[in-house]
Amino acid sequence: MTSIKAPKFVRENQWAGHSNPLWRRRDKKKVTILYNMFERRKSLFIRTYLEKAGYKYRDLGDHKTEDVHYGREWGSRMMCNPVYFTSGSFIRALLEIEKNEGLTKEQIVDQFIFLGGGGDCTPCRYGMYAEEYMRVADDAGFKGFRILILNSDLLPYPPPPKDAAFKFSTMFLFSFCMSFILADLMHIGECAVLPYATDKDAAIKTLNECDNLIFKAFRNPFFYFTLPAALFRAGRKLAAIPGEKKNLPLIFITGEVFANYANGDANYNLRRFIIDEGAEPLPAVFSHRARYECWRKKTYFYPYSKYSETKKERKFWKKYCNVLAAQDNTTRFLFNLFDFFFNQKQFSGKGELLDLDMLSALSEPYYDKAINGGEGNMEIAEAIYYHDKVDGFITVKPFGCMPSSGVSDGVQSKIISMYPDLNFLSIETSGDNEVSILSRVSMLLFKAKQKVRARESQVNVKAPSP
Ligand code: SF4
């Protein structure tokens, strides 16, 4: 008879998850918030809220390639790339504080808190971010490190305790909304002027000056007055950048929200690469993505407000949908208002908020709008919408992304067969295959330039002889 050996490692206590203790109001002054809002401009502008509300803060800076390595080392297997980038940047920061500032792990747990993104548990992994942050901190020895999760939901459940030091208050959400709109406008400016600028270094210097101008105005307690003036001045400065008149191919970039908007190592600095290679990227507008989030939830939950079993439930969902509609309308209103002062038209900016119902109608036969997760039907809708408006269409998705790589790209093959002229490229970012990805982008740009040349020669042929 063979005896069965007992396993070598036995977990004695039932695992009860990671703890995330409350950051109490009485500790407000001794705790520093570590944060990074996708990329440097959003991080810069949201800093104004943290300053005005009296928090100590530390911007972790843009995500770097090495963050993926930290994320993979400390995080769970088989996650998607943004989880590795964000949790990696967070754990790298903690380890660097320990090494460079001589604090013990316990002191770091006591004196710092991390503000990161996370969401509802759709078919993608967004709902698992919070757990991952706590896991990497625990496993690296920072037991009980506190995490604040910025969720796109506006009705927090359960509501935060009264003595919480930080609440996702209406003022915070309003400031966050303003921050990404301001960042959008500057990105629109960068995409419009940099490809044509005669002196690119000088243009980058002007862009940085405009960032600071807007930041200082937004930091001012009377920003209702100072911000419009700063946007007006920034718009004029960008319009005054000397540029060449030339026909450059127009490239639209879409894809998973992190890979698309990180504008740095997380997407191989794709936008700058496209500009350096002589093309104009169409700016990815985060305000559009934020509106889509509201639209998606409103579409999904609206039937609940009609057909839920009890009156109380119907009332709850009705209120929820109204809040989403208010958020959507506020985003659109502020974007248009700020753009009025910034006036992107004066430097041929091409940032726009598209009609989400129109986009949904375009994609409806191929992608059900009720399919949730990631970018949902958006990438398909955008491919159809832009097929005759751009010279190249790139969709960026992180390695291991379920909705974008697993679902959306499958449907895209149908869209490409319908529009064979669509110069389409899907790239998967893993954080460490830069050369092979950018060489594929180069091929797309080569074809895009051929399209521009073909258009120019058609115009020349049709032009009447003098
Ligand atoms: S959309 Fe994709 S990459 Fe983004 S969180 Fe979900 S699974 Fe990850």
Side-chain angles (χ1 to χ4, degrees), residues 80-83 122-126 129 256-258 373-375 398-404:
C80 57
N81 218 13
V83 179
T122 59
C124 86
R125 296 182 175 96
Y126 199 42
Y129 277 43
E256 191 271 342
V257 61
F258 181 84
E375 313 317 300
F399 170 78
C401 173
M402 290 188 278
S404 204

Side-chain angles (χ1 to χ4, degrees), residues 410-425:
V411 182
Q412 290 288 20
S413 52
K414 168 75 182 162
I415 308 301
I416 301 165
S417 71
M418 284 161 46
Y419 304 108
D421 278 350
L422 178 69
N423 183 13
F424 176 91
L425 175 68

